Amino acid sequence: VTLERGEDGWIVVECPALPGCLSQGRTVDEALKNIKEAILASLETRRAHGLPMGIDVAEVEVELPVTT
């Protein structure tokens, strides 16, 4: 999952492997608890409708060029 602090101070958490699966919380712990529930609901819905259970996700590293 990815975590990002929103403009309102809440932690926004997203599961990139499940498009549209996101949640939030006031704290990191709350956000992680909430995304677990969202992931479970998403997987149950996908299974019920015969949809893929997720997509492939990869992590890549990039280096920013040094600016002078």
Side-chain angles (χ1 to χ4, degrees):
V1 296
T2 61
L3 298 147
E4 184 176 352
R5 188 166 300 277
E7 291 179 13
D8 58 1
W10 283 60
I11 306 296
V12 178
V13 61
E14 182 176 7
C15 179
L18 296 170
C21 186
L22 55 98
S23 192
Q24 63 181 3
R26 289 182 205 139
T27 65
V28 170
D29 287 342
E30 182 180 36
L32 291 174
K33 176 185 169 287
N34 292 342
I35 195 64
K36 287 179 184 179
E37 293 171 3
I39 290 169
L40 182 58
S42 178
L43 290 173
E44 288 173 346
T45 300
R46 287 172 170 277
R47 181 173 43 201
H49 293 281
L51 298 171
M53 296 302 279
I55 60 173
D56 291 335
V57 176
E59 185 174 311
V60 298
E61 278 188 44
V62 296
E63 272 189 52
L64 289 174
V66 177
T67 57
T68 55

